[in-house]
Amino acid sequence: VGACEPAFCSLLRNDTTHMPSAVVQAVISELSGPAMVTAGWTLLGMNFMPMGPTAGMVGACEPQKTWGNRTFLNMMEHAPLFLSSLWVFAIFVSAEEATKIGTTYIALRSLYPVIWAAYGGANGAPMQPYTWFLFGKGMNLFYVTFPQYGCVFYMALATLLKLGLAIDLNSIVGVPALAAPLGFGLFLYHFALGGFPYLQKAVAPLFGK
């Protein structure tokens, strides 16, 4: 079995002596971690879901309603990207690393409403101007959002490299659970906030005034 290849993939491809039940047990054992990550993500989402509606029920101010609504909706907006990248990475690259990266993602996701409430409050979502210093000078939402994007980007890229070019990105970075949120998160922060404004300026004439 390759360094980053799930054990059940080797079993399915090379071992024709095992009964189907053995194959099923191998799959269940290998993918139990990503399954628990998915279950944890679902439970977190279920806890986020009432935050917006209940704010309205108690007559909360608009900033609090927005905080509650965006906590849940932001999570749902990114659900397809996270869940799809998690599972293709788990199946084709490494279920163990998928569990670690997925757990990191959930931890970061759980901090989204905390950072917003503690550092934004009545002023809305706490953001900081683009800078070369980490994810901004001073605590803001970018410290939890872009590391999440890094996790998703890493898992998708690692899967593409493994299947398309037989490149083991896990071995290259050493510790994927750190490289994904930090290294790739920072790359996306600078790519999106540092690079895309130039693209927007370039295409602006196409959209008129």
Side-chain angles (χ1 to χ4, degrees):
V1 180
C4 70
E5 183 180 58
F8 73 88
C9 287
S10 176
L11 179 61
L12 290 171
R13 184 174 61 252
N14 300 322
D15 196 337
T16 59
T17 63
H18 283 73
M19 297 297 290
S21 61
V23 175
V24 171
Q25 288 303 316
V27 172
I28 291 174
S29 176
E30 191 79 13
L31 297 180
S32 60
M36 288 190 290
V37 169
T38 304
W41 179 91
T42 302
L43 292 174
L44 182 64
M46 292 298 293
N47 279 277
F48 281 176
M49 184 167 55
M51 293 177 67
T54 54
M57 289 171 58
V58 300
C61 62
E62 287 302 317
Q64 186 173 343
K65 293 178 184 177
T66 301
W67 166 76
N69 285 325
R70 289 307 303 158
T71 293
F72 178 66
L73 293 177
N74 185 268
M75 184 177 185
M76 293 301 103
E77 289 163 3
H78 290 275
L81 298 174
F82 170 61
L83 295 175
S84 60
S85 64
L86 174 74
W87 279 99
V88 295
F89 181 83
I91 293 171
F92 294 105
V93 182
S94 171
E96 179 181 0
E97 293 301 334
T99 303
K100 295 176 182 178
I101 296 173
T103 301
T104 300
Y105 183 98
I106 292 176
L108 291 165
R109 173 55 61 182
S110 68
L111 291 174
Y112 183 95
V114 177
I115 299 299
W116 184 320
Y119 293 92
N123 295 320
M127 304 292 186
Q128 292 291 335
Y130 172 68
T131 175
W132 284 98
F133 181 77
L134 298 178
F135 297 101
K137 295 180 180 179
M139 182 54 64
N140 66 92
L141 277 182
F142 292 152
Y143 276 88
V144 293
T145 55
F146 274 99
Q148 289 177 71
Y149 306 157
C151 290
V152 170
F153 186 89
Y154 178 88
M155 291 189 290
L157 178 63
T159 304
L160 189 62
L161 291 177
K162 172 70 184 300
L163 297 179
L165 300 173
I167 295 175
D168 180 7
L169 188 58
N170 287 353
S171 296
I172 295 174
V173 303
V175 185
L178 290 178
L182 295 179
F184 285 79
L186 281 169
F187 162 73
L188 290 174
Y189 171 77
H190 294 300
F191 178 68
L193 301 187
F196 264 74
Y198 293 101
L199 173 63
Q200 295 292 356
K201 292 177 182 178
V203 301
L206 301 175
F207 294 90
K209 187 172 180 179

